[in-house]
């Protein structure tokens, strides 16, 4: 069981021990020092651990067993779409023609890979209803920034230099105001109404000649579909602003409605969420952007185009905001998304949204019996409940999350969104069975009982994990990322 003294690979090191054997030299030895400038040559061998093959296997196998992922259990981390990543994606991504090519290769020699990218662009255009798509951005947040830079370029091309503000609802994903700031705008908050949706009166109050855009997370971070989008579009477009759709969580609407049809000018998608790119641990991701015809000229370059039956990269795009990433996007993640789209088909993708929404509503209505549900309408792919009833018993949402670890679950997102007290944001995803959903619901009910009859137990959880409560603030503020003897 729990071994808190888990030695680092460096601690296992014994001088002279090796995990490799090289054949005898059969070429003359070459003295680097005679050939190259002194400064290039490392004087001492790097300080690497010296261990046998068996030891290294045991070390990493033991570490891997401590890991938790979608392949090991239920992972309802709200807003992250930790759904199953089909293994056929991995088979396809490992095909030689995809995995053994180089971005510097002559485009004529990699037409198949380029055709895949082009077809993916076409599929994403169709799914979003946008005019043109770029696969370059490597994450949702980078897609947001790319979209805002295009909006800035559009306004500046019209001589409109005073549009310095981006309106962001208080129910937006946290990256939205951050991206606005990084793109050089001021983020202006618009409030939610008592239904948890954008307050149109407040929107009318903040909109003006200085509005560059509205960034809308839809469904918003409460998992609620914004019902007054057409009115918002009229208000923003009427004031000369642009409409940005944060489509990171497209799994809620895919196949049913499209940002392009709602009047949005820019949208980004998270292929690593909705379209099954494996993620967690920081990447790699893919956050393609789609734009209306009015903004197409500003897309990052090069743009992949088809000319005379040949796929080429078009660099001749004078109005482009330029490159946002070396090469052509995270090819491997884009390829997995393409595989997913092709295996699911249009009807399959529609079913994804259907089941994602049904699963979330099923779970929400069951949990509502013991946990406070702040907004009563049906949710989309995720929902937010509050632990404020349990808090009165001395059990905080953090305690509930820690107790879930004892029962073998990854906890939901907690304390977000910030407009809900003791928030728990739950996203079951469409890939889970009813039995799994019922198992989690039962555990949440059990923890609610524990909070009533044995609150200390929940307050002191977890008991069954390798490490107990960590000092998360210090870990975030003073991360120590390297081994020092
Ligand atoms: C995850 C998410 C993002 C950010 O995506 P990253 O790939 O993590 O940068 C943005 N908006 C929403 C709604 C999200 O769920």
């Amino acid at each position: 069981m729990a071994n808190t003294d888990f030695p680092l690979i460096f601690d296992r090191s014994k001088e002279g021990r090796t995990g490799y054997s090289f054949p005898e030299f059969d070429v003359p030895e070459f003295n680097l020092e005679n050939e190259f400038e002194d400064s290039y040559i490392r004087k001492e061998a790097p300080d690497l651990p010296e261990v046998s093959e068996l030891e290294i296997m045991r070390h990493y196998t033991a570490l891997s067993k401590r890991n938790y992922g979608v392949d090991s259990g239920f992972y309802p981390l709200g807003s992250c779409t930790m759904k199953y990543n089909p293994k056929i994606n991995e088979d396809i991504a490992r095909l030689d023609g995809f995995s053994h090519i180089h971005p510097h290769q002559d485009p004529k020699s990699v037409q198949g890979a380029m055709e895949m990218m082009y077809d993916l662009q076409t599929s994403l255009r169709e799914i979003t209803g946008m005019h043109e798509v770029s696969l370059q951005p490597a994450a949702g947040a980078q897609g947001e920034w790319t979209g805002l830079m295009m909006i800035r370029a559009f306004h500046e091309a019209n001589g409109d230099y005073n549009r310095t503000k981006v309106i962001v609802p208080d129910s937006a994903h946290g990256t939205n105001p951050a991206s606005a700031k990084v793109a050089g705008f001021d983020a202006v908050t618009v409030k939610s109404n008592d239904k948890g949706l954008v307050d149109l009166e407040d929107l009318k109050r903040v909109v003006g000649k200085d509005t560059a855009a509205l960034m809308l997370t839809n469904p918003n971070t409460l998992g609620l579909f914004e019902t007054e989008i057409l009115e918002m579009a009229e208000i923003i477009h009427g004031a000369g602003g642009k409409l940005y759709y944060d489509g990171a969580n497209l799994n809620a609407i895919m196949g049913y409605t499209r940002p392009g049809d709602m009047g949005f000018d820019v949208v980004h998608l998270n292929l690593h969420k909705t379209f099954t790119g494996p993620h967690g641990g920081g990447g790699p991701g893919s956050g393609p952007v789609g734009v209306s015809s009015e903004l197409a000229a500003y897309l990052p370059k090069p743009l992949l185009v088809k000319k005379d039956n040949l796929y080429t990269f078009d660099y001749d795009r004078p109005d482009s905001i330029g490159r946002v990433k070396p090469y052509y996007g995270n090819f491997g993640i884009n390829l997995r998304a393409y595989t997913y789209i092709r295996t699911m088909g249009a009807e399959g993708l529609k079913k994804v949204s259907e089941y994602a929404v049904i699963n979330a509503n099923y779970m929400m209505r069951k949990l509502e019996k013991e946990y406070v549900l702040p907004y009563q309408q049906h949710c989309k792919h995720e929902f937010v409940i509050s632990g404020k009833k349990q808090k009165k018993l001395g059990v905080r949402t953090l305690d509930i999350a820690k107790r879930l670890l004892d029962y073998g679950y990854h906890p939901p997102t907690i304390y977000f969104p910030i407009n809900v007290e003791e928030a728990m944001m739950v996203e079951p995803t469409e890939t889970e069975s009813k039995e799994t959903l019922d198992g989690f619901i039962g555990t949440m009910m059990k923890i609610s009982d524990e909070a009533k009859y044995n609150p200390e137990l929940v307050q002191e959880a977890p008991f069954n994990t390798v490490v107990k409560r960590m000092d998360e603030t210090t870990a975030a503020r003073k991360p120590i990322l390297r081994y020092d003897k």
Side-chain angles (χ1 to χ4, degrees):
M1 267 309 297
N3 172 12
T4 43
D5 260 335
F6 195 93
L8 296 174
I9 189 75
F10 286 94
D11 299 327
R12 292 176 187 259
S13 181
K14 279 276 174 300
E15 208 180 322
R17 202 166 276 173
T18 59
Y20 64 86
S21 54
F22 283 136
E24 294 272 313
F25 260 142
D26 58 0
V27 290
E29 207 161 316
F30 184 81
N31 194 346
L32 285 173
E33 279 171 51
N34 299 338
E35 291 296 321
F36 295 106
E37 237 186 87
D38 217 28
S39 60
Y40 291 138
I41 296 166
R42 202 200 298 262
K43 291 288 181 287
E44 282 164 28
D47 188 16
L48 296 176
E50 297 175 75
V51 287
S52 70
E53 183 175 321
L54 175 60
E55 281 166 324
I56 207 161
M57 278 313 294
R58 284 191 180 149
H59 179 78
Y60 285 108
T61 303
L63 270 181
S64 75
K65 284 186 184 165
R66 291 183 165 192
N67 209 356
Y68 189 91
V70 186
D71 289 350
S72 34
F74 187 47
Y75 205 135
L77 190 66
S79 205
C80 296
T81 315
M82 304 306 288
K83 69 188 196 182
Y84 180 63
N85 307 143
K87 297 303 168 246
I88 187 174
N89 296 356
E90 301 306 315
D91 279 354
I92 300 297
R94 280 161 180 72
L95 291 178
D96 270 357
F98 290 132
S99 61
H100 289 161
I101 54 177
H102 193 279
H104 281 314
Q105 246 170 278
D106 180 346
K108 285 206 180 76
S109 69
V110 286
Q111 285 290 300
M114 290 170 74
E115 181 177 2
M116 182 284 291
M117 291 166 68
Y118 188 82
D119 282 356
L120 177 59
Q121 284 178 191
T122 307
S123 300
L124 297 180
R125 270 164 47 189
E126 202 169 308
I127 289 168
T128 57
M130 303 308 285
H131 178 76
E132 193 66 80
V133 165
S134 165
L135 301 175
Q136 260 190 45
Q142 201 191 10
E144 291 167 27
W145 176 82
T146 304
L148 290 172
M149 293 305 281
M150 290 190 279
I151 289 174
R152 163 189 292 273
F154 170 85
H155 288 314
E156 289 183 356
N158 289 329
D160 221 350
Y161 290 92
N162 298 323
R163 295 193 178 270
T164 54
K165 303 212 162 117
V166 169
I167 302 174
V168 185
D170 60 7
S171 59
H173 195 78
T175 47
N176 289 191
S179 299
K181 193 79 198 160
V182 177
F185 295 102
D186 291 325
V188 182
T189 308
V190 57
K191 286 204 284 278
S192 304
N193 59 24
D194 56 4
K195 287 194 195 122
L197 305 175
V198 171
D199 185 335
L200 286 193
E201 289 313 309
D202 202 43
L203 182 61
K204 284 182 198 154
R205 190 182 61 77
V206 298
V207 76
K209 283 202 178 74
D210 55 0
T211 302
L214 166 74
M215 287 182 95
L216 193 74
T217 302
N218 187 53
N220 66 25
T221 50
L222 295 163
L224 303 177
F225 189 88
E226 292 286 350
T227 51
E228 296 180 304
I229 285 175
L230 298 180
E231 289 81 352
M232 289 182 219
E234 221 173 281
I235 295 169
I236 298 297
H237 283 153
K242 292 282 160 208
L243 275 178
Y244 186 99
Y245 190 100
D246 181 334
N249 300 309
L250 207 76
N251 43 332
I253 63 156
M254 184 166 55
Y256 280 87
T257 183
R258 310 190 303 171
D261 300 339
M262 303 177 204
F264 283 87
D265 304 285
V266 191
V267 55
H268 88 264
L269 304 175
N270 277 25
L271 300 191
H272 47 294
K273 291 181 182 170
T274 311
F275 298 92
T276 65
H279 63 293
S286 179
V289 283
V291 289
S292 61
S293 55
E294 210 178 20
L295 289 174
Y298 307 105
L299 278 170
K301 69 179 177 184
L303 196 68
L304 177 58
V305 294
K306 191 176 178 181
K307 258 191 208 145
D308 309 325
N309 263 342
L310 208 66
Y311 298 96
T312 55
F313 290 111
D314 180 9
Y315 286 87
D316 184 19
R317 301 180 58 82
D319 295 328
S320 164
I321 61 164
R323 254 189 200 289
V324 300
K325 186 185 180 304
Y327 304 124
Y328 315 108
N330 267 335
F331 182 81
I333 294 298
N334 293 338
L335 175 55
R336 285 167 176 84
Y338 176 74
T339 307
Y340 179 66
I341 291 171
R342 292 299 301 268
T343 46
M344 297 301 284
E347 277 308 307
L349 293 181
K350 201 171 169 184
K351 278 264 178 270
V352 165
S353 306
E354 202 175 305
Y355 284 114
V357 171
I358 288 172
N359 280 1
N361 278 281
Y362 174 74
M363 194 173 256
M364 180 176 86
R365 294 302 171 197
K366 293 278 185 185
L367 292 181
E368 181 186 20
K369 297 192 173 74
E370 287 295 324
Y371 296 87
V372 171
L373 180 65
Y375 299 98
Q376 274 304 320
Q377 59 274 49
H378 297 322
C379 64
K380 283 284 167 289
H381 63 298
E382 66 188 354
F383 60 92
V384 176
I385 48 171
S386 160
K388 68 180 182 194
K389 213 156 78 184
Q390 287 71 21
K391 192 183 173 188
K392 291 210 184 87
L393 306 166
V395 169
R396 303 193 62 222
T397 288
L398 179 70
D399 304 326
I400 297 171
K402 295 295 180 193
R403 188 66 179 141
L404 276 169
L405 298 174
D406 278 340
Y407 290 111
Y409 290 107
H410 193 290
T413 299
I414 56 171
Y415 298 108
F416 190 82
I418 47 179
N419 51 352
V420 172
E421 190 189 338
E422 297 293 310
M424 282 176 265
M425 188 190 209
V426 188
E427 181 178 9
T429 85
E430 78 284 357
T431 56
E432 300 294 344
S433 67
K434 179 164 181 297
E435 292 73 32
T436 301
L437 302 184
D438 286 337
F440 181 77
I441 293 163
T443 302
M444 286 294 283
M445 294 301 165
K446 200 163 167 185
I447 296 175
S448 162
D449 273 350
E450 289 174 350
K452 286 177 206 159
Y453 307 117
N454 195 357
E456 294 81 26
L457 182 74
V458 190
Q459 287 158 352
E460 281 157 34
F463 302 95
N464 303 333
T465 54
V466 174
V467 285
K468 307 299 166 208
R469 300 230 178 173
M470 284 175 284
D471 182 351
E472 287 168 21
T473 315
T474 304
R477 297 226 170 113
K478 289 189 203 150
I480 301 169
L481 301 177
R482 49 172 284 187
Y483 174 82
D484 276 322
K485 275 188 202 149

